[in-house]
Amino acid sequence: MSPAAEVVAAEVASFPELVRDLPVTPEVTPHEIRTHLREHYDFAEAHPLVDVLQSVIDMLRRWNLHTTHPRYFGLFNPSVHEAGVWADALAALYNPQMAAWAHAPAASEIERHVLRFLGGFLGLTEPSAGAHFTSGGSEANHTAVLLALASRCPGVFERGLAAPRARPLVYLSAGGHHSFQKIVRVTGLGEAALRRIPMDGAFRLDVEALELQLRRDRAVGCRPVMAIGTAGTTAAGMIDPLSDIADVCAAHDLWFHVDGAWGASGLLSPLLQPSFAGIERADSVTWDAHKWLCAPMGAGMLFTRHPSLLRRVFSTDAGYVPAERDAVEDPYLGTMQWSRRFIGLKVFLTLATRGAGGLGADVEHQAAMGERLRDRLVEAGWIVVNDTPLPVVCFTHPVLRRGELAIGTLLERVLAKGRVWISEVAPDGHEHVLRACITSHRTREEDLDVLLEELQHALAGPVD
Ligand SMILES: *Cc1c(COP(=O)(O)O)cnc(C)c1O
C-alpha cells in the first residue's frame, strides 16, 4: 500500500471510535486557522502527499465541530458508515461523468438500482425515470417546485412566469424548511407566493388553516399550485398529517410534495413506517441519503410519479452529447445538474454492506434513544414540548420558563465544556426551547448520561 493510502486507511479505521474522546466543539478563532495556513502553505513548494494528508487530518481533528460524535445531539448530520467513505474515494478515482449514460454505464445503472429499491418504500413501482440523485434536499425541493409549475402552469417554461393567468402560489407549514424561501426567490415566484400555513397545537401543519387560505386565495383569483407536507420538521421532528394534505391537494387540484429530507429514512423501520402514511400519495418526495441513511454529505434524492415532467423542465438538445439509442435516458436530460459526481455509489455501498434491515435497525435504535432521552428528561424535572416518534426532543425547564435563567446562558454553559452539542429552537415561532436530536447510530445510553449531567450542571450554576 502507498504511504498515503496507509495514512488515510488508518484514520478511516480509527476515527469513529477515537472521536468519542475528542471535544465535540472546537475552540478556535478564524485568526488561528488563517495564520496556520499562511505559515504552512504558501504553495511555493510542493509537499509530499503523506505530509499534507497528515496535516489536513490534524486540522480536521482539532478544528471541526464533530458531527459524527456520538454526543453531537445536533442538526440532521448523522454519523457515516465506513462504506460510504470508501465509496466517495472510488467515485473520485474513476470520476464517471454522470451526465450521459454512455459515459458511465455501470455508475448509471448502480444509481438506478438504488433508486428503484428506495422508491419502493414510497410506493413507486417504476421510479427509475422519475428519480435522481441531487446535491441535497434543497436541490430536490427546488426541482419539486419546478415540476409543480410544469404540471399546473403549462407554458410557463416557454413564456415565463408572466404566462399563468393567475398568480401561482405554494403552501408550506410555518414549520417547513427554509429552503423553500430561497426557492420561491430563485424561481421568480417571489417570496409573497409562499404561503406559510399556521401549525396546530402539535407543531404540525393545520389542515383547516390550509383549506381556509386556499379558499381565500382562490376567491381573489390566485392559482394555488402546490402544497408541501414535511415528514420530519427541522425544529421539532414532526410529521405533518400527510394523508389529510393529500386529500386537500386532490380536492383543490394541487401538486402534493413531501419534504422528507431527513425523516423519510424512517420508512426503513417497520415500527416507524405507519407514521408516514400518505407519503405514497405524493406527486414528488425529497429524501436525503446524507441524512438518516448515513451516507456522507452531498447525497439528496428526488422521486416523482411523473417522470415526463422532469423532461419537460430539464431536457435540451446539446448537439455534442451523443444521443442514447437504447431504452435508457441520459441523466442530464432530467435534472438541473449536468456534469455530476457519482453520488449514488455511497448509498449503494452503505445499503449493500448494512442491508436495508440494518439501516432500519440503526434508525430504530436512534428512535429508541430519543424515547429514552424524553423519559429521562421528564424524570429529572424537565418539560418536553413536542411529541413525535422521531428522535428530536424539544424541552425546557420550569426555571427557564419562569425566567430565572436565560436559555442562552444555559446553552452557553453546556457548549463551553465541549462534551455535548445541543441547540436552541422556537418550534412555535415564539417560545425558545432546547433541542436535542439523536443523530448518530453510535449514540448509547452512556452518552445520554453525559447530556443529562451537563444539563443539570448548567442549570445549577456557571462553569468553574
Ligand atoms: C435538511 C433539510 C432540507 C435541506 O436539505 P439539504 O440536503 O441540506 O440541502 C430540506 N428540508 C428538510 C426537512 C431538511 O431536513
Side-chain angles (χ1 to χ4, degrees), residues 432-446:
H432 284 249
V433 297
L434 296 163
R435 175 185 179 284
C437 173
I438 314 293
T439 181
S440 172
H441 52 271
R442 298 194 186 93
T443 301
R444 310 195 280 247
E445 181 92 28
E446 71 207 58

Side-chain angles (χ1 to χ4, degrees), residues 217-373:
D217 289 335
R218 281 206 193 285
V220 295
C222 291
R223 171 67 173 104
V225 293
M226 169 187 211
I228 299 147
T230 307
T233 60
T234 308
M238 301 308 303
I239 302 171
D240 282 338
L242 303 179
S243 290
D244 295 345
I245 301 173
D247 289 341
V248 172
C249 286
H252 290 262
D253 185 32
L254 303 185
W255 182 275
F256 176 34
H257 176 67
V258 172
D259 180 2
W262 168 66
S265 297
L267 288 165
L268 269 63
S269 147
L271 273 179
L272 294 175
Q273 204 208 351
S275 305
F276 296 88
I279 200 169
E280 72 289 345
R281 294 170 66 191
D283 293 296
S284 55
V285 175
T286 288
W287 182 354
D288 273 354
H290 68 208
K291 287 189 174 160
W292 227 5
L293 288 182
C294 305
M297 263 186 245
M301 299 179 285
L302 182 278
F303 294 86
T304 178
R305 231 162 269 289
H306 313 281
S308 64
L309 290 177
L310 282 172
R311 285 189 290 281
R312 196 180 305 164
V313 179
F314 294 113
S315 78
T316 177
D317 182 14
Y320 52 85
V321 182
E324 207 34 69
R325 282 171 307 274
D326 302 331
V328 293
E329 174 115 341
D330 282 328
Y332 85 106
L333 298 175
T335 77
M336 186 61 206
Q337 296 194 50
W338 199 292
S339 297
R340 167 164 84 64
R341 99 186 243 106
F342 185 8
I343 296 169
L345 184 59
K346 47 196 165 193
V347 190
F348 173 81
L349 256 160
T350 304
L351 261 171
T353 56
R354 193 80 190 95
L359 286 174
D362 288 344
V363 160
E364 275 178 20
H365 166 72
Q366 292 169 69
M369 285 288 112
E371 279 303 319
R372 200 58 205 120
L373 176 60

Side-chain angles (χ1 to χ4, degrees), residues 398-413:
V399 166
L400 297 169
R401 278 210 166 148
R402 289 196 298 267
E404 290 161 24
L405 177 65
I407 193 161
T409 309
L410 182 129
L411 191 61
E412 250 171 52
R413 287 176 188 167

Side-chain angles (χ1 to χ4, degrees), residues 26-230:
E27 213 176 304
V28 68
T29 61
H31 177 74
E32 191 180 346
I33 305 174
R34 287 170 197 172
T35 308
H36 175 88
L37 287 169
R38 256 198 318 273
E39 280 171 4
H40 291 81
Y41 295 102
D42 61 5
F43 304 126
E45 54 177 312
H47 298 278
L49 177 58
V50 265
D51 295 355
V52 181
L53 286 172
Q54 198 55 65
S55 128
V56 168
I57 287 171
D58 289 344
M59 286 191 273
L60 287 173
R61 275 197 192 183
R62 280 162 60 202
W63 299 328
N64 190 34
L65 198 159
H66 290 299
T67 51
T68 65
H69 200 295
R71 292 193 301 278
Y72 171 74
F73 296 103
L75 310 176
F76 307 124
N77 300 305
S79 298
V80 295
H81 285 290
E82 184 180 341
V85 178
W86 296 126
D88 257 1
L90 288 179
L93 177 67
Y94 293 100
N95 208 25
Q97 168 56 281
M98 302 296 294
W101 188 94
H103 270 55
S108 300
E109 292 301 317
I110 286 172
E111 287 198 342
R112 179 175 188 270
H113 189 66
V114 170
L115 293 167
R116 277 174 78 100
F117 177 75
L118 293 176
F121 289 91
L122 304 170
L124 289 167
T125 45
E126 186 45 65
S128 55
H132 59 255
F133 284 97
T134 64
S135 55
S138 298
E139 184 195 335
N141 282 340
H142 185 187
T143 299
V145 171
L146 296 172
L147 291 175
L149 284 174
S151 158
R152 299 304 195 268
C153 304
V156 72
F157 294 114
E158 291 75 30
R159 296 194 300 277
L161 273 176
R165 283 187 312 276
R167 172 153 200 217
L169 298 177
V170 173
Y171 297 76
L172 174 74
S173 120
H177 196 264
H178 283 80
S179 54
F180 286 102
Q181 189 182 6
K182 297 189 191 182
I183 291 163
V184 288
R185 286 185 198 147
V186 301
T187 48
L189 286 166
E191 281 190 62
L194 184 62
R195 294 283 195 254
R196 301 299 294 245
I197 305 302
M199 292 178 285
D200 62 15
F203 312 121
R204 308 175 333 147
L205 181 138
D206 183 332
V207 178
E208 275 179 28
L210 172 63
E211 289 239 276
L212 191 68
Q213 187 65 47
L214 281 166
R215 280 198 296 272
R216 264 195 217 135
D217 289 335
R218 281 206 193 285
V220 295
C222 291
R223 171 67 173 104
V225 293
M226 169 187 211
I228 299 147
T230 307

